[in-house]
Each structure stands twice: as C-alpha cells, then as structure tokens.
Amino acid sequence: MADYSGARRLVGNRLLDSVGTVVGRIGQVFFDDRTREPAWVTVRTGVFGTGESFVPLRGAHVVDEGLQVPFDAETVRSAPSFAVDRHISVEQEDAVFAHYGLAPEVPVPRAEDRPRGRHRKPDPGDVGEEHVDQLG
C-alpha cells in the first residue's frame, strides 16, 4: 500500500474548468473514509486566493496544466465553501452535490448508524492506495 502522496501532489496545482480556463489553485484534497480514494478538492479563488470552494472529483482528470474538472468556472467559483479543517457533514456534502447538479454518491447500502458524508483530509500517518491518475 502506498501513502496519499500522489493525491497530495495535486495541492498547489491549477484547477481548470471544462474548457481549460484556470479557475484557481488546489488548496486541499479530501478522501472518502470508506474507499480512501480522493473525492473532493478545494480550489482557492478570489483576488488573493482566500476563498476555498469545494469541487467533486467525479469526472476530473489530470492534464499537463493541472487538474481539469467537468464544470464551468462560474459554477466552481460560486460553489459552497466550508471550513477545511474537519469532516464534511452530510448536509454540506448534499449542498455541494446539489450545486453541481450531481446525485449524492452512496456506493453501498449503509446501516442507519453509518452516515454518508464522512470525507476528510488524511491524517499524517494514514496509508491507502494511490488513486490520483484514476480520478475519472
């Protein structure tokens, strides 16, 4: 098993919209707790890059210029923004999916005591399979 270093290499790279326009720089990568695959990135937008909007990685792919997502720049810039130092709640996750017009991902049936929406930044000691090149 490898660590999250491949996905972490995305941090600081450019995020491009569906037509290749640079939207901003990637600030954080969030992983799904169950699959340990990258699920979201935040992109720093605004004049000084102070805002961080969440972007789902569904349909994203690595290009020479950075990471390209299947959404237009305005949709990304107007996406919900939350504190990036904790798990994304179910409500926050649903708000982001709704903003991008996506159905929430529920990969397997879950017990009532296992809520959806537990995406997080990896802890320094975490290990997991590297899935950066297979984001699409």
Side-chain angles (χ1 to χ4, degrees):
M1 295 181 99
D3 66 11
Y4 291 105
S5 63
R8 285 185 177 149
R9 282 188 294 232
L10 293 173
V11 173
N13 284 300
R14 290 188 260 178
L15 184 91
L16 295 92
D17 73 358
S18 58
V19 296
T21 302
V22 176
V23 179
R25 297 263 177 201
I26 296 171
Q28 303 285 333
V29 178
F30 285 74
F31 296 82
D32 185 290
D33 281 345
R34 289 174 278 184
T35 66
R36 295 195 177 261
E37 292 185 27
W40 307 87
V41 294
T42 62
V43 61
R44 293 182 217 143
T45 60
V47 178
F48 299 106
T50 55
E52 286 194 59
S53 298
F54 277 81
V55 183
L57 289 176
R58 214 184 281 180
H61 60 280
V62 176
V63 294
D64 288 339
E65 299 83 17
L67 181 71
Q68 189 167 18
V69 295
F71 311 107
D72 64 81
E74 185 52 39
T75 299
V76 174
R77 287 186 183 113
S78 64
S81 180
F82 312 109
V84 295
D85 60 346
R86 59 188 68 138
H87 279 79
I88 301 169
S89 74
V90 173
E91 293 80 16
Q92 291 168 328
E93 182 179 309
D94 287 345
V96 175
F97 277 128
H99 176 79
Y100 286 99
L102 299 172
E105 290 180 330
V106 182
V108 294
R110 64 184 188 276
E112 291 301 316
D113 62 336
R114 276 191 57 194
R116 180 174 48 83
R118 304 308 294 228
H119 295 97
R120 64 180 175 86
K121 296 189 311 185
D123 294 325
D126 280 351
V127 294
E129 294 184 35
E130 195 169 316
H131 295 280
V132 173
D133 295 328
Q134 303 168 7
L135 294 176

